[in-house]
Amino acid sequence: MLRIPCPHCGVRDEIEFRYRGDASVRRPAGEAGMEAFLAHVYERANPAGWHLEWWQHAAGCRQVLKVRRHTVTHEIGAVGLPGDDLPLPEASA
Ligand SMILES: [Zn+2]
């Protein structure tokens, strides 16, 4: 079970949170074309390593958080607000 440190509520169990998707995806510009939008909607990386994700503290403050999680060990590297910059470590293993 994940233990996610919400910046508003403190450390809470994963069951209070709802996964909201890949936080590294950026919407293409309006003139980018259909291929770019199809990739934006349907294509996701499946990294074995550090990854940025959106999690909503649904049973708590209801805020959406940006979480840096290791997809193999499930270690939570950092938690921030949506506008925060959470750089990924250089070696992603
Ligand atoms: Zn919270």
Side-chain angles (χ1 to χ4, degrees), residues 6-10 12 16-17 57-63 65:
C6 175
H8 305 289
C9 309
R12 296 291 193 272
E16 293 189 13
F17 293 82
H57 195 183
C61 61
R62 303 197 54 80
Q63 297 299 304
L65 308 172

Side-chain angles (χ1 to χ4, degrees), residues 25-33 36-38 40-41:
V25 175
R26 296 285 178 259
R27 183 183 171 93
E31 64 277 357
F37 275 96
L38 287 173
H40 169 69
V41 172

